[in-house]
Amino acid sequence: RLKKSAPDMKMFQGLRDAAIALSSDTSVRAVILRGVGDAFCSGLDVKSVIQNPLNLNRLLERPKGRLSNLAQDVSLAWRGIPAPVIAVTQGACLGGGLQIALGADFRFSHPDCKFSVMEAKWGLIPDMGGSVLLRELVSIDVAKELTMTARIFDGNAAKGYGLVTHVTNEPMEGALALAEEISARSPDCVAAAKVLFNRTWHAPVRESLEIESELQCALLVPPLKNTLAAASMGMELPIQLSFKERQDHWSEDS
């Protein structure tokens, strides 16, 4: 849960730590990310962050060897969880809050929720992974228009742009229903599907096909080994994919 409508430094760290912890928990079958109260997230708590001059450096400095900095981690880290992450948006989903929501695999929104790529209001650009996340959901002209204008739009417009998956008066109920539906499938299959599309969406055709085959083999080998072992002992055991606890290697690939 986002316990405040505007994240401060403590929440930035908490969000990243939560995503890292969830990524290594093989019992997790789905994650729902939502705000507590009237808003999903209304953007950065600027007053709190600028109280300490070192905070901007903590947010923007990229540690050696890491792909992203702390500001980007709170949006991108959800992609590393080998289970579906579903954002539930209501009230306001603005600026950095929108980028956090875009880091989820699915978004359920109330029609009255207000969205904006709001950074231009302060003469800035989206810097919490927006360049990566927007390109997967909208065309380049739409990304430029929303970024340059800082326009505020509602849930139905967000759905039209491609920024949300479903618009409903009961977004939490919709998210729970989707989480339950996906949880009925093999957790390894679900994890592999997430890795598949995260890694191939903008990859060349040859690379995409190679990744597809690589992931399929990873799904087939464990049950095939079980079947061959049973056959060597004279037992008949059909190949069956695991629908129990997820294997622990998927978080490294997401």
Side-chain angles (χ1 to χ4, degrees):
R1 297 182 180 185
L2 301 177
K3 294 185 178 180
K4 290 176 61 179
S5 62
D8 54 16
M9 292 302 299
K10 184 177 179 180
M11 185 180 292
F12 270 101
Q13 189 67 54
L15 283 169
R16 182 174 70 180
D17 291 349
I20 292 172
L22 289 167
S23 69
S24 61
D25 186 343
T26 57
S27 68
V28 172
R29 303 293 288 270
V31 176
I32 293 180
L33 182 63
R34 68 183 181 94
V36 175
D38 296 333
F40 175 77
C41 181
S42 57
L44 180 67
D45 185 348
V46 177
K47 183 178 179 180
S48 171
V49 170
I50 64 175
Q51 284 180 347
N52 185 341
L54 295 178
N55 283 339
L56 285 178
N57 185 61
R58 289 176 58 202
L59 283 173
L60 300 178
E61 183 181 17
R62 182 170 290 97
K64 186 176 181 180
R66 289 188 60 87
L67 180 66
S68 53
N69 57 35
L70 177 58
Q72 295 160 341
D73 283 344
V74 299
S75 300
L76 297 176
W78 308 104
R79 296 159 66 93
I81 299 174
V85 178
I86 308 169
V88 176
T89 62
Q90 78 289 338
C93 185
L94 307 172
L98 175 56
Q99 292 173 83
I100 293 172
L102 295 183
D105 301 296
F106 310 97
R107 284 153 297 281
F108 282 74
S109 176
H110 191 280
D112 294 334
C113 183
K114 302 302 180 187
F115 295 87
S116 177
V117 184
M118 189 165 270
E119 286 76 8
K121 181 178 178 181
W122 298 281
L124 301 172
I125 58 170
D127 66 339
M128 291 170 58
S131 59
V132 174
L133 300 168
L134 283 168
R135 72 182 183 187
E136 295 183 350
L137 299 170
V138 304
S139 58
I140 188 171
D141 55 336
V142 170
K144 289 177 180 177
E145 181 178 338
L146 295 180
T147 300
M148 293 175 184
T149 62
R151 178 185 304 139
I152 296 175
F153 48 94
D154 64 16
N156 287 315
K159 178 68 166 64
Y161 289 133
L163 293 173
V164 301
T165 317
H166 299 284
V167 177
T168 170
N169 288 324
E170 301 293 341
M172 189 62 183
E173 289 184 10
L176 287 169
L178 178 60
E180 184 176 355
E181 183 178 2
I182 294 175
S183 295
R185 302 302 175 193
S186 159
D188 286 316
C189 161
V190 171
K194 180 167 178 172
V195 173
L196 172 65
F197 292 114
N198 282 352
R199 289 177 58 186
T200 64
W201 205 247
H202 290 283
V205 171
R206 179 181 292 278
E207 182 180 344
S208 297
L209 295 177
E210 289 173 351
I211 292 171
E212 185 179 286
S213 298
E214 170 193 329
L215 293 171
Q216 191 74 301
C217 288
L219 291 172
L220 287 170
V221 167
L224 182 58
K225 284 183 177 179
N226 291 338
T227 300
L228 293 175
S232 69
M233 295 183 289
M235 300 169 56
E236 289 188 8
L237 182 65
I239 295 177
Q240 184 175 7
L241 302 184
S242 172
F243 276 59
K244 297 182 180 180
E245 196 166 282
R246 186 178 61 245
Q247 298 179 69
D248 60 5
H249 62 82
W250 295 109
S251 60
E252 301 174 1
D253 299 326
S254 298

